[in-house]
Amino acid sequence: MSPGNEHPHQVSCQLLLIGGGGHALVVAEAALLSDWVLCGVHDDADAPSVCNMFGLPRRGTISALLSGPAPATDGVRWHLALGNLQIRARLADRLAGDAATILHPRASVAPSARVAAGVFVGAMAVVHTAASLGPHAIINTSAVVEHECVVGANTHVAPGAVLGGNVRVGAHTLIGLGARLAPGIAVGDGCVVGAGAVVVRDVPDGTRVRGVPARPF
Ligand code: JB2
């Protein structure tokens, strides 16, 4: 990794998960495999799945983090462990302190890749040579981000999606399950690429596309 990137295996750091549902289950297990010590969860559910599965205390709600004065994180590292991109963006703006980057130990992240704070890379995902991942991006299970791709802040590349070489994806965009983006394609901010789509033309900001080849809908 380039200077300034975090080492994937943070030893005995305390980590707060923001979100307690399905995505949190995946993040929690990856974090534990990477030697993080989980210290709690914020979620609106009374009994979040991740608390039940990993025996973690619920420290508060997401609604409380989103309202009132900016919440304090008391020096504890935190990670956005929920999938809702709008809520993730609002939380990222409000939370102080250092977001934790979590790389599953069986992800392949090239040493030359740039990985910003708060990123999650799931099991069997590949982030290839000179790729760049913005803050809080999610590269989910078995997704492939090829050489020199740029993935914007808070963008979610869903399981099995493939970004060919030199693809650029903006911020707050969802690349759906198993979608394919041809090499060199640009997808803008706030877009949705439907599951299984094959994108062979650039996608402007705020556009939803689906199908093979992908078209706006
Ligand atoms: O609009 C919201 C909201 N949406 C989700 N307002 C507030 N206040 N909280 C919201 N949340 C919080 O995210 C809730 O506390 C909820 O318990 C938590 C987790 O959301 P959910 O259980 O719907 O799923 P997830 O985010 O863990 O997983 C989704 O995203 C993943 C990336 C699912 O679609 C998964 O299948 C997917 N893999």
Side-chain angles (χ1 to χ4, degrees):
M1 287 189 200
S2 47
N5 283 347
E6 297 182 62
H7 191 281
H9 300 289
Q10 300 276 357
V11 177
S12 296
C13 283
Q14 297 261 308
L15 178 64
L16 193 57
L17 296 180
I18 315 297
H23 188 54
L25 291 176
V26 173
V27 169
E29 198 148 68
L32 291 167
L33 287 168
S34 305
D35 298 330
W36 287 91
V37 175
L38 304 180
C39 59
V41 177
H42 281 256
D43 196 89
D44 285 359
D46 289 335
S49 313
V50 76
C51 293
N52 295 334
M53 180 161 284
F54 296 102
L56 299 171
R58 189 182 72 145
R59 301 252 179 221
T61 64
I62 289 174
S63 295
L65 294 177
L66 289 168
S67 59
T73 47
D74 299 325
V76 174
R77 310 287 297 278
W78 50 274
H79 186 89
L80 298 176
L82 71 166
N84 182 320
L85 294 185
Q86 288 74 34
I87 301 295
R88 290 171 60 86
R90 288 172 59 194
L91 289 165
D93 281 347
R94 287 178 60 78
L95 289 169
D98 292 336
T101 300
I102 298 175
L103 310 179
H104 192 287
R106 285 187 291 284
S108 172
V109 180
S112 56
R114 295 194 62 82
V115 180
V119 162
F120 175 71
V121 184
M124 310 311 288
V126 178
V127 179
H128 230 309
T129 311
S132 174
L133 308 178
H136 309 291
I138 302 171
I139 310 301
N140 223 325
T141 315
S142 292
V144 175
V145 175
E146 263 294 348
H147 62 88
E148 301 165 275
C149 284
V150 178
V151 176
N154 192 37
T155 278
H156 178 187
V157 181
V162 178
L163 277 51
N166 279 301
V167 162
R168 286 159 290 138
V169 182
H172 315 299
T173 281
L174 174 62
I175 307 295
L177 284 167
R180 303 275 191 268
L181 275 58
I185 285 295
V187 176
D189 297 337
C191 294
V192 176
V193 173
V198 175
V199 181
V200 293
R201 293 202 183 105
D202 289 356
V203 178
D205 291 349
T207 305
R208 299 158 68 91
V209 299
R210 67 180 175 193
V212 182
R215 299 184 198 286
F217 69 99

